[in-house]
Amino acid sequence: MSNPYALSLYNEIQNRFSVDASNMPMSEWICRNTTLRGVPFSFRKFPFQKQIVDDMHPNLCVTKISQIGLTETQIRKAAAFVTRNRGVTLLFTFPSEDMQKRTSQTRIQPLITENGVFNRAKEAGTTQIRSVGIIQIESSFLLVTSCTEGEATSTPADAVFNDEVDLSDPGILALFSSRMQASDWKLRQQFSTPTFSGYGIDQTYAVSDQHEYLLKCDSCNHWQLPLFTRKFIRLPGLPDSVDLAGIDQAILDNNRIDLDTAFVACERCGSELDLGRGDNRNWVPLHPHRTNARGYRVRPFSVNTLSPKYIIEKMLEYKRKGFMRGWYNTVLGETYEDGDIRLTDVQINACFEQGHPDRFRDVDPTRTPLFLGIDLGLVCHITVLAPRDRRSPRLQDMEVVCFEPVPVELLIERVKWYQQNFLVVAGGTDRHPFAPTANALYDATGGIVVPYEYRGGVELSDKSESDKTIQINRTMAIDTVAQLVRSGRVTFSGYGDQKDTIHLHLKNMVREETPEKPAVWRKLGGPSTQDHYFHAITFAYSALRFYLGEFTGSAQALDKRQTVWVAPAGTTATAAMSGLTSIVGAGHGPSRGRQATVGFNRLR
Ligand SMILES: [Zn+2]
């Protein structure tokens, strides 16, 4: 098109009409109608995106990584969908209001304003709604929203796109999906970096047809899935005994390794693989018969912009920050479970294997001391701890002999029944957010069941005399239970038909430790997932430890010796610490019959 007049006519046509045909793939429409920083959009840099953009499967998921431009293309796909189809509504969700606003302002709004194809009606003089959350394109709507309570209105939708599902509240996501009931389209497409195995995008991808982006070696024609493993990565100088994830600065220095020499090699012939083209690539499903769920998995070598050097440097960076999970999730696109992040199936099953489904088995009603843990809610979750030998309670030798859900209106009656029929010596419940119920329990049980308040850095602080409450450090309290489950030092019995429920509750909490904040146990996914029995067990153990006067450090500090103190009831931490010697030395008897001790303690 060298004729300047023809070129200007062509440009005018381009500007006045969108380039479209009913059989045109989405990717082509996007390239012909939209620009990025002034130049026509193209898939040349990331050829893997093309098939994902063209795929209008009603149930599609992508497990992704950072730095591969997928949010950008997904936004274009959403805008193309509402522009090419009349009278449709697409809901685009982000986990938080912050992410919604940021993406809307930096990506969505520029895309819409800078491309004429989205503004035909506006230019023709028709009023179009344009805001951070609502973009009207002729008779269609692109709604951009966050997964927060306030956004869960009932606007019907034809398509729902979810970005970063693992960070979004699953309950709200389900609510958004239910808005498509009346639509003929019912298009749901989910995207996320993975976080934990069996959760969120990992779970969705696992039941999909599982497309992997394979690559053909130019030298030997072998098709393969290049991964960040020693089978594929050539790094001259790296000793055979070192695993890639084990690389640190010392190994690089001692072996004089130059990261620039690293490359991705064919698993069969060893030639360097060309990651940058599209013609030697193919998306291949592992389970082609699963036609109801489409899944794509993007990995670092799905593109050629993330070199082995980049991946290793990122790893060293994350190692320095002590945040390897971040590297696995966002750089490799893999779930991460190592260490003390989350209880595993094997660990939980081991606790069940030692147990029995029947409640209160072999419990002597008058001689076996029991400890109650109650998680309050509309349905309360009660757990009852007994010593494994049914006689002497010890932190590392206990058995849950009953797991029971009870409606809140029957709770007090039920707890009194336990007291009347068994030897209940201590108990704990959460004080918040149901303080009146918690206080009523304290009064009804004569102070045996005490409201616990998750608060502060002090491990345990007794405020029961003045405040009818005991304050405990949340992380340390939950760490203790997690550590006991991991080491098989607790048995789960009395679960009846609730085994799966208990299992789920124990897996729904993760210990989040980021470089910026102290460790905290976080519920996976938001308000709609459940972790009640985990808390109920934690309160039962807190009651046990209080009863025994046995407060140890957090589970993470198990191999360190720690100073441990037990103060008389009503003493503040500071007062206790400063007055410790005098109290012990003067032989003051602690109130409420508990022994004041000071010294060193270890859990194992
Ligand atoms: Zn080869």
Side-chain angles (χ1 to χ4, degrees), residues 217-222 224 266-271 273:
C217 171
D218 290 330
S219 299
C220 74
N221 290 334
H222 172 60
Q224 57 208 297
C266 170
E267 63 179 340
R268 188 200 265 172
C269 75
S271 313
L273 294 173

Side-chain angles (χ1 to χ4, degrees), residues 55-204:
D55 198 331
M56 299 308 281
H57 195 287
N59 180 16
L60 179 150
C61 77
V62 181
T63 156
K64 63 172 183 173
I65 54 177
S66 299
Q67 311 294 335
I68 50 151
L70 209 56
T71 301
E72 180 68 50
T73 35
Q74 193 60 11
I75 288 166
R76 277 164 206 266
K77 184 178 185 176
F81 175 78
V82 294
T83 308
R84 299 180 78 187
N85 299 289
R86 306 232 157 182
V88 294
T89 299
L90 185 146
L91 201 64
F92 205 114
T93 78
F94 293 96
S96 65
E97 225 166 291
D98 183 50
M99 269 183 86
Q100 176 222 345
K101 290 224 170 83
R102 198 155 20 97
T103 318
S104 197
Q105 282 159 5
T106 60
R107 290 182 167 172
I108 304 177
Q109 286 175 346
L111 171 74
I112 300 296
T113 26
E114 285 161 22
N115 290 283
V117 71
F118 303 121
N119 299 296
R120 307 276 172 235
K122 214 175 160 195
E123 281 157 15
T126 316
T127 313
Q128 301 267 285
I129 304 171
R130 295 287 163 90
S131 70
V132 176
I134 305 171
I135 293 153
Q136 184 181 3
I137 295 170
E138 304 200 18
S139 56
S140 295
F141 290 93
L142 170 57
L143 306 179
V144 186
T145 174
S146 66
C147 288
T148 45
E149 211 79 47
E151 300 281 357
T153 57
S154 54
T155 322
D158 299 288
V160 176
F161 286 9
N162 309 120
D163 199 11
E164 295 299 355
V165 296
D166 277 35
L167 304 176
S168 305
D169 183 338
I172 306 275
L173 289 179
L175 220 54
F176 284 142
S177 288
S178 70
R179 294 197 202 169
M180 294 190 289
Q181 273 155 9
S183 169
D184 293 333
W185 287 94
K186 294 190 182 67
L187 216 60
R188 185 177 186 200
Q189 307 206 332
Q190 307 176 65
F191 303 79
S192 191
T193 41
T195 50
F196 302 100
S197 125
Y199 177 77
I201 202 77
D202 182 68
Q203 188 181 36
T204 311

Side-chain angles (χ1 to χ4, degrees), residues 495-571:
Y495 47 82
D497 57 4
Q498 304 176 86
K499 207 168 167 179
D500 291 342
T501 309
I502 298 160
H503 203 110
L504 209 63
H505 287 196
L506 289 168
K507 286 201 76 179
N508 272 344
M509 274 214 286
V510 291
R511 191 176 196 275
E512 198 154 67
E513 204 166 2
T514 55
E516 297 81 27
K517 290 176 287 183
V520 63
W521 282 88
R522 183 173 68 82
K523 189 164 61 166
L524 279 177
S528 62
T529 51
Q530 307 212 323
D531 55 4
H532 305 302
Y533 277 128
F534 204 151
H535 287 288
I537 298 170
T538 302
F539 291 125
Y541 269 103
S542 299
L544 168 70
R545 292 164 74 209
F546 185 61
Y547 177 85
L548 296 173
E550 199 174 308
F551 315 138
T552 58
S554 65
Q556 62 175 5
L558 278 183
D559 39 12
K560 284 183 217 139
R561 291 209 155 201
Q562 293 208 333
T563 307
V564 172
W565 59 272
V566 182
T571 320

Side-chain angles (χ1 to χ4, degrees), residues 208-209 285-293:
S208 75
D209 58 4
L286 189 62
H287 305 287
H289 66 281
R290 294 186 185 168
T291 49
N292 61 324

